[in-house]
Amino acid sequence: MTHHQAGAASALALARPTPGWVALRWFNLLGMVLLVAAMALPLHAQDRPVSFADLADLVSPAVVNITTSTTVAASLDRTRPQLPDGAPFQDFFNDFFNQDGRQQPRPRQSQALGSGFVISADGYIVTNNHVIEGADEIEIEFRDGTRLDATLVGTDSATDIALLKVEADHDLPFVSFGDSESARVGDWVLAVGNPLGQGFSVSAGIVSARGRALQGNYDDYIQTDAAINRGNSGGPLFNMNGEVIGVNTAILSPNGGSIGIGFAMSSHVVERVVFQLQEFGETRRGWLGVRIQDVSGDVAEALGLTAARGALVTEVMDGPSKAAGVESGDVILSFDGVEVADTRELVRRVADAGVGREVDVVVFRDGAEQTLQVTLAQRDEEQLTQTAAGAQPQSPDVSQVLGLELTALTDQMREQMGLAPGTTGVVIGAVEPGSDAESKGLRAGDIITEAGQQPVTSVEDFHARLDAAREAGRRTLLLMIRSGGDPRFVALSVD
């Protein structure tokens, strides 16, 4: 073998992989494949579109601009100038001013702009109530420039939703509601509307939060960072399937412009409201006939509940609950087969359950659960009446206990406080600064009508309930407080 051949053979031997080297190479190659797959998986899961153009083209024909006109009387409050008889323009000034010399009110048009979307081929349109509220005329403009006059079908101020109707000589493009309950924080969304009166506009973002509440009892807002401005009100919030999962309603902003915090009423709420407006021209919500409050940790302990959950009944009015046997002090744990987390959830479930339905209501009372059958009525604010106990008043006495100065009610106090003649309880005369009672919001003039879920008609009754709670090993005493006529439960420490 020549030197050259030996060198080549040596090089060949060095280049030939050993069995261990081959295994290591394949192991590294497999690791690289798995790394690439792991890196690609999140991108696929996000399903981020390269462009929103196709989606915008799909849904935009059903999104409309809404212009409203309201006729109002305006007066500049100017007095008529003094003109000699026969002066030029005298007839004009006589027509322009009233007999008393004041300028006659002149009607003017006040216009507002908003957005909406078509939900049916025959011309039903959804928008916000505040967009069309008080309007004399409502005009709908489609993206292709078509303009149609709209009539108002119905409104629901509680959710700020309005339903309009236009008549066209052909089927209109429309969009459908999607399932807002399946929307997740981080999902892509598209807001379409007429921001600041600039015309058709699209903005994209994500679902920032779910289940937001602003001020209403039935609030269920989707929070999004998709740009929403004035004029977007009433416009749709789309998911990536082109389905409406929210109605753009409000923004949180210090300057009136978008800062990435917008709110759209969820389709879960809107779809039910729209259906009732179509059917009845109004909303018909279920009504239990109770006042309720959330269950705090100390209230749960006072009641013997293992966890702070459900809705605590503070008052039972004449209506479905009273007929079914619901009592003040009950904790509603389940409604129509679904567990109740808090008062907000119960209010929404009752409203959605429908009028005239019989539902199972599970309550916690005296340390045990009971199931009651309640036939829901229709909610009517006029049905919310005050109730009062009918025990006989006791002679006045005063006591200092749990940081409270307590005095029994007298007839003179009832008259001064505007209470019903049969109202019983003990009056809080003063609250010790820094006490647990002060931290729980008790104030002079509040009335304690129950202690330990038993009626209180005297200071002696209160002490008896307190002693019973201590003997039972309770750390708190549950009180029913009436402040300005409204009842609520408060759990005070017995130490």
Side-chain angles (χ1 to χ4, degrees):
M1 180 181 295
T2 65
H3 177 73
H4 177 75
Q5 290 173 329
S10 177
L12 181 61
L14 289 174
R16 184 179 296 119
T18 63
W21 187 89
V22 172
L24 180 61
R25 182 181 178 185
W26 279 106
F27 179 79
N28 290 337
L29 181 60
L30 178 61
M32 291 178 63
V33 172
L34 292 176
L35 178 61
V36 171
M39 293 175 64
L41 181 60
L43 293 179
H44 176 71
Q46 291 175 11
D47 198 23
R48 180 171 57 188
V50 176
S51 170
F52 293 96
D54 290 340
L55 178 59
D57 286 341
L58 176 68
V59 300
S60 60
V63 181
V64 299
N65 296 340
I66 298 177
T67 304
T68 64
S69 298
T70 304
T71 303
V72 295
S75 174
L76 298 178
D77 197 25
R78 295 173 180 169
T79 56
R80 177 170 55 187
Q82 299 298 316
L83 299 175
D85 290 339
F89 303 111
Q90 183 179 22
D91 292 339
F92 168 77
F93 283 109
N94 288 339
D95 292 338
F96 190 72
F97 290 93
N98 291 324
Q99 294 300 319
D100 61 359
R102 296 286 181 180
Q103 178 182 326
Q104 297 185 33
R106 295 285 179 172
R108 63 182 178 87
Q109 294 292 319
S110 172
Q111 292 189 324
L113 298 173
S115 306
F117 55 99
V118 185
I119 61 169
S120 65
D122 59 346
Y124 281 100
I125 296 173
V126 175
T127 187
N128 279 144
N129 176 54
H130 75 260
V131 169
I132 54 83
E133 189 172 20
D136 295 322
E137 298 177 354
I138 305 172
E139 185 180 67
I140 307 300
E141 181 184 4
F142 292 82
R143 192 183 181 189
D144 63 5
T146 302
R147 296 175 180 267
L148 296 173
D149 291 332
T151 57
L152 180 62
V153 177
T155 64
D156 179 45
S157 59
T159 57
D160 197 14
I161 295 298
L163 184 65
L164 311 176
K165 183 72 165 62
V166 295
E167 300 296 338
D169 56 6
H170 60 278
D171 288 348
L172 296 174
F174 65 94
V175 289
S176 301
F177 287 108
D179 181 13
S180 59
E181 297 295 286
S182 65
R184 300 187 305 162
V185 173
D187 280 349
W188 286 100
V189 288
L190 199 73
V192 187
N194 179 26
L196 304 174
Q198 296 302 302
F200 181 84
S201 180
V202 174
S203 59
I206 63 169
V207 174
S208 303
R210 288 275 315 276
R212 293 297 199 205
L214 299 181
Q215 295 179 340
N217 290 330
Y218 312 106
D219 286 359
D220 183 18
Y221 284 102
I222 297 172
Q223 181 183 326
T224 178
D225 64 352
I228 296 174
N229 288 284
R230 294 175 180 173
N232 275 112
S233 291
L237 187 71
F238 291 103
N239 61 19
M240 291 299 96
N241 295 324
E243 299 167 328
V244 179
I245 60 170
V247 177
N248 301 321
T249 301
I251 60 173
L252 184 62
S253 172
N255 55 20
S258 174
I259 59 171
I261 304 178
F263 301 95
M265 183 64 77
S266 71
S267 62
H268 176 74
V269 173
V270 175
E271 194 169 8
R272 285 180 167 85
V273 170
V274 168
F275 171 78
Q276 292 191 349
L277 293 178
Q278 282 181 303
E279 289 292 309
F280 314 114
E282 63 178 3
T283 49
R284 298 182 179 181
R285 296 186 171 94
W287 184 62
L288 268 179
V290 293
R291 294 183 189 272
I292 54 178
Q293 71 178 61
D294 286 333
V295 179
S296 61
D298 51 4
V299 169
E301 195 278 335
L303 290 170
L305 276 170
T306 57
R309 61 191 179 96
L312 177 59
V313 178
T314 62
E315 183 177 17
V316 183
M317 292 164 276
D318 290 331
S321 289
K322 178 174 284 190
V326 177
E327 298 178 1
S328 175
D330 287 349
V331 179
I332 299 176
L333 299 177
S334 173
F335 177 83
D336 199 17
V338 180
E339 290 189 2
V340 173
D342 52 28
T343 57
R344 183 165 161 261
E345 180 179 345
L346 178 60
V347 169
R348 293 216 320 261
R349 292 194 181 281
V350 172
D352 292 343
V355 177
R357 280 192 60 211
E358 183 179 85
V359 298
D360 288 342
V361 177
V362 179
V363 301
F364 182 83
R365 180 190 302 169
D366 298 329
E369 294 184 7
Q370 298 183 32
T371 301
L372 307 173
Q373 283 74 44
V374 181
T375 301
L376 301 178
Q378 182 172 342
R379 182 176 178 85
D380 183 354
E381 296 300 327
E382 297 299 323
Q383 292 174 307
L384 306 181
T385 58
Q386 298 291 330
T387 59
Q392 294 297 319
Q394 303 294 318
S395 59
D397 47 13
V398 179
S399 178
Q400 299 279 348
V401 58
L402 300 183
L404 300 171
E405 180 185 290
L406 301 181
T407 306
L409 271 173
T410 64
D411 290 337
Q412 183 179 8
M413 289 180 183
R414 292 185 187 88
E415 184 176 353
Q416 291 174 345
M417 300 172 73
L419 301 174
T423 303
T424 61
V426 292
V427 180
I428 299 176
V431 181
E432 180 182 342
S435 64
D436 185 45
E438 184 186 50
S439 69
K440 297 294 175 57
L442 271 62
R443 299 290 183 266
D446 289 349
I447 302 173
I448 301 174
T449 60
E450 291 183 10
Q453 296 185 277
Q454 298 293 325
V456 171
T457 60
S458 66
V459 174
E460 286 77 12
D461 283 347
F462 185 89
H463 279 281
R465 307 291 180 262
L466 177 58
D467 292 340
R470 286 171 170 161
E471 291 174 4
R474 299 284 189 198
R475 292 178 297 175
T476 55
L477 177 65
L478 190 66
L479 307 179
M480 166 71 85
I481 307 295
R482 285 190 176 273
S483 179
D486 294 326
R488 63 188 174 102
F489 280 103
V490 172
L492 283 189
S493 171
V494 300
D495 297 331

